[in-house]
Amino acid sequence: MILDRLARALDDRLRLSPITRRGLAKVFPDHWSFMLGEIALYSFVALILTGVYLTFFFDASSADRVYHGSYAPLDGSTTSAAYASTVRLSWDVRAGMLIRQTHHWAALVFVAAIVVHLIRIYFTGAFRKPRELNWLVGVTMLTLALANGFTGYSMPDDLLSGLGLRIIVSVVESIPLVGAWLASLALGGEFPSDVMIPRLFVTHVLLVPAVLVALVSAHLAMIVRQKHSQFPGPGRTEHNVVGSRLWPSYTLRSLALFAWVLAVLFALGGLVQINPIWLYGPFEPAQATMPAQPDWYVAWGDGALRLFPPWEIRIAGHLVPGPFFPGVVLGGLTFLALYAWPFAERLRTKDRRQHHLLDRPRDHPVRIGVGVAALTFYGVLVISAGDDIIARLLRVSVYDVLSALRVLVLVLPVLAGALAFLVARALRRSGAGGVGALTRVDLRTVRGPGAPPEGRDEPELPAPDRPGERIELWPEGEVWRWRYRDSSGGVSLLGNRAVLTEDEAASAARLAYPGVDRVVVPGPPPAAPPGRVRAALRRWGDAAMGVSLLVAALRQRRDRRRPPAEDDPPPRRPGRP
């Protein structure tokens, strides 16, 4: 009763019911791949919940502390306050080990869900107009997730995380001219500095999470505003969404997924050990630990550093150390390519239409070839981060493993990308249900009749099942018109309604003729100018029309002024027979 009255009072003042009703009626498509983004969201919620608990017991300080606790091998040892509080949190705080390990697993799942979600968006073309901004937000979230994961990994001040932080500092210092200044500015002095851990703590728990919360909110708001994309299927068009309403079916399903994500994360935190810092010991600049592998989401950078030859060059008298190329250049090019891909593909394909239906990966062989090559390249780099472990397991020299991985990182991505391109092109041409249904004829590289041009994904071409058909749009003054044209059947039908914008004309045409690509044309040819006789007749006709209208108006005015005669019938009153 009280809640009902409170809701009514708020609605009387804020008029929230129309917005709430419209939001609860929003439709979401039913496909498992759309849950990848929700897994990332719920992992982020788990990170926030467990992180708040950990902040109550973590001491973000580099000051010396004498550890006294349940872990006997370190009892009485002098370590940093950050390391001592983390060991105490793991061994002496109730549920501390569970929360700490769950927090770490949630970070791994969070980054993994973002990566897999971006892969799904890439291969299905969900980054195309009007969702380029959402793609940029997602890539920025991935960048911040990597940064936040690394800062959290480095805060305990153990020997393994200290080595990883020293590697990152070395990469930053390899930047010519400004590298050493940037590293000193970030750490507050020369590595390791006394304010290093407090700055990592503030970045990890305040700055980056605040930006992530803002980006997640913007990401969800854009999805609601733009409506959800969906896979092609019966009844699904560019103008509707087929699926479940937000309330109650989709909400209950999403809450069930949230419960499963929390259950899996807490099961991992309680049953699978991760980052046992008490075994590594506190960080000492003069010590190192082997084997030392970082978390998987930064392992590709570590693998690149291991594979790249120790080359050093000088540019304008300034030394460019070896870590600059695999660390700074490769990392910068990676995220620059991610940010630029939607615009580069649009520039290549000349496709500026709005897309709400997703692609099948086979429909764009170039896209799938580039994507598979990139995934293979970074997969080899991740494996290369464990070259010492591979050498120990295979009982061979680590230098032999390193040489083999250097060959694989250059050759394997090209082979994998080319194979993916050929298979996707064969699937698109043959219409086979899967890779297993392909024949040797389908995999031939020679183009057959009617096949699309090599290496092109032309969205402006007519649909393969509607040859010769197209929609033509053109401006006519301040309005837009469209017509349907079938060149094979000699049919041309003009739309009977003009609209104000090109998008409205395209929407009307797609609604009338779904599946037919549109082509913007300058418009119909202008009419020929009239001849002299026709122009003279038109002028005389206009003059005669004007004179007749003037005579009729004067006669009507004279009849109104004439007094009524005796034999004229009386005027009738309205409403009477």
Side-chain angles (χ1 to χ4, degrees):
M1 180 66 71
I2 297 177
L3 294 178
D4 183 65
R5 289 183 177 179
L6 179 60
R8 291 179 181 276
L10 289 176
D11 185 57
D12 288 340
R13 291 158 177 80
L14 302 178
R15 304 300 300 168
L16 297 176
S17 57
I19 301 175
T20 304
R21 192 179 300 111
R22 187 163 53 251
L24 294 178
K26 185 172 179 60
V27 177
F28 289 85
D30 298 322
H31 196 274
W32 64 267
S33 64
F34 296 113
M35 295 294 180
L36 295 171
E38 295 191 24
I39 293 176
L41 174 63
Y42 295 147
S43 300
F44 183 59
V45 173
L47 280 170
I48 294 177
L49 295 177
T50 55
V52 170
Y53 183 87
L54 295 177
T55 55
F56 293 143
F57 306 98
F58 180 72
D59 187 0
S61 174
S62 302
D64 291 338
R65 292 287 188 276
V66 177
Y67 171 75
H68 293 290
S70 301
Y71 187 66
L74 283 177
D75 191 31
S77 301
T78 300
T79 65
S80 65
Y83 182 79
S85 64
T86 306
V87 176
R88 189 178 298 108
L89 173 64
S90 303
W91 286 84
D92 300 298
V93 175
R94 185 181 298 274
M97 179 78 78
L98 173 65
I99 300 299
R100 177 176 169 268
Q101 294 196 150
T102 301
H103 186 77
H104 200 136
W105 279 112
L108 299 181
V109 174
F110 177 55
V111 180
I114 294 178
V115 171
V116 178
H117 185 53
L118 284 175
I119 291 174
R120 196 275 300 173
I121 291 175
Y122 172 82
F123 283 116
T124 59
F127 54 82
R128 296 172 297 173
K129 185 180 178 180
R131 294 177 177 84
E132 304 97 331
L133 183 59
N134 233 349
W135 169 267
L136 299 180
V137 170
V139 175
T140 305
M141 290 172 59
L142 174 61
T143 308
L144 294 176
L146 297 178
N148 214 37
F150 186 79
T151 54
Y153 175 81
S154 305
M155 283 195 310
D157 199 31
D158 59 284
L159 184 57
L160 182 60
S161 67
L163 287 176
L165 187 59
R166 182 164 59 187
I167 292 174
I168 291 296
V169 172
S170 300
V171 170
V172 175
E173 289 178 341
S174 68
I175 302 175
L177 299 178
V178 298
W181 177 80
L182 289 175
S184 178
L185 179 65
L187 300 179
E190 186 178 355
F191 176 84
S193 65
D194 294 336
V195 298
M196 178 178 65
I197 295 179
R199 292 193 176 189
L200 291 174
F201 179 78
V202 172
T203 303
H204 181 75
V205 305
L206 180 62
L207 298 181
V208 177
V211 179
L212 278 174
V213 169
L215 291 178
V216 168
S217 303
H219 186 73
L220 296 176
M222 283 188 286
I223 290 178
V224 173
R225 177 60 178 168
Q226 295 175 344
K227 82 177 183 178
H228 212 293
S229 58
Q230 60 183 345
F231 288 98
R236 300 171 184 175
T237 68
E238 296 280 3
H239 309 285
N240 67 349
V241 178
V242 178
S244 304
R245 294 186 182 274
L246 177 60
W247 178 263
S249 56
Y250 191 84
T251 300
L252 295 178
R253 187 161 61 243
S254 184
L255 290 177
L257 177 64
F258 183 33
W260 272 106
V261 170
L262 290 181
V264 171
L265 291 178
F266 275 94
L268 289 172
L271 301 176
V272 183
Q273 186 183 71
I274 188 171
N275 199 24
I277 64 168
W278 50 89
L279 298 180
Y280 306 146
F283 173 65
E284 294 292 341
Q287 296 182 2
T289 179
M290 291 296 291
Q293 278 75 34
D295 285 336
W296 73 268
Y297 51 83
V298 290
W300 61 275
D302 188 51
L305 290 171
R306 297 187 185 208
L307 292 184
F308 196 80
W311 294 342
E312 294 184 350
I313 62 175
R314 288 187 175 273
I315 300 178
H318 297 281
L319 177 66
V320 181
F324 174 75
F325 299 101
V328 179
V329 175
L330 179 61
L333 290 178
T334 298
F335 287 97
L336 180 62
L338 287 174
Y339 279 113
W341 180 262
F343 311 100
E345 180 172 303
R346 185 174 64 184
L347 182 64
R348 185 183 68 87
T349 61
K350 304 297 188 295
D351 182 10
R352 289 175 171 79
R353 297 171 298 168
Q354 292 196 3
H355 296 273
H356 301 289
L357 287 178
L358 301 176
D359 293 329
R360 293 186 305 175
R362 67 171 66 181
D363 294 334
H364 292 270
V366 174
R367 182 195 298 162
I368 194 174
V370 173
V372 170
L375 291 176
T376 305
F377 175 74
Y378 290 102
V380 175
L381 291 183
V382 171
I383 295 174
S384 302
D387 56 355
D388 49 349
I389 296 180
I390 297 174
R392 186 179 63 181
L393 294 176
L394 299 179
R395 297 183 179 181
V396 297
S397 171
V398 68
Y399 296 104
D400 295 337
V401 175
L402 192 62
S403 300
L405 290 173
R406 284 174 175 170
V407 175
L408 288 177
V409 79
L410 297 177
V411 176
L412 197 58
V414 177
L415 296 178
L419 179 61
F421 171 80
L422 295 177
V423 170
R425 189 179 59 178
L427 288 172
R428 185 180 65 172
R429 290 176 179 175
S430 64
V435 179
L438 291 176
T439 63
R440 183 177 300 178
V441 178
D442 297 329
L443 294 174
R444 289 187 308 177
T445 58
V446 180
R447 293 195 296 119
E454 295 290 341
R456 291 172 61 95
D457 299 324
E458 290 289 350
E460 297 293 344
L461 292 176
D465 58 337
R466 309 285 292 274
E469 301 181 46
R470 66 178 182 177
I471 299 296
E472 298 179 347
L473 311 177
W474 69 88
E476 191 174 283
E478 296 182 355
V479 299
W480 280 78
R481 291 190 176 275
W482 63 271
R483 65 171 168 241
Y484 165 79
R485 182 182 292 273
D486 184 359
S487 57
S488 59
V491 178
S492 180
L493 300 176
L494 180 65
N496 59 358
R497 183 169 173 263
V499 293
L500 296 178
T501 63
E502 178 187 356
D503 292 336
E504 293 180 6
S507 300
R510 284 197 295 264
L511 184 61
Y513 300 96
V516 182
D517 288 349
R518 67 180 179 88
V519 179
V520 178
V521 297
R532 294 182 179 181
V533 176
R534 186 177 178 183
L537 292 175
R538 179 178 295 178
R539 287 197 300 269
W540 282 105
D542 293 340
M545 178 65 71
V547 171
S548 62
L549 291 175
L550 179 61
V551 171
L554 293 175
R555 184 176 180 181
Q556 184 178 9
R557 184 177 179 183
R558 184 192 63 184
D559 293 341
R560 287 180 180 177
R561 291 183 177 182
R562 182 175 62 87
E566 294 181 357
D567 55 348
D568 289 343
R572 297 174 56 182
R573 297 183 180 179
R576 291 190 179 184

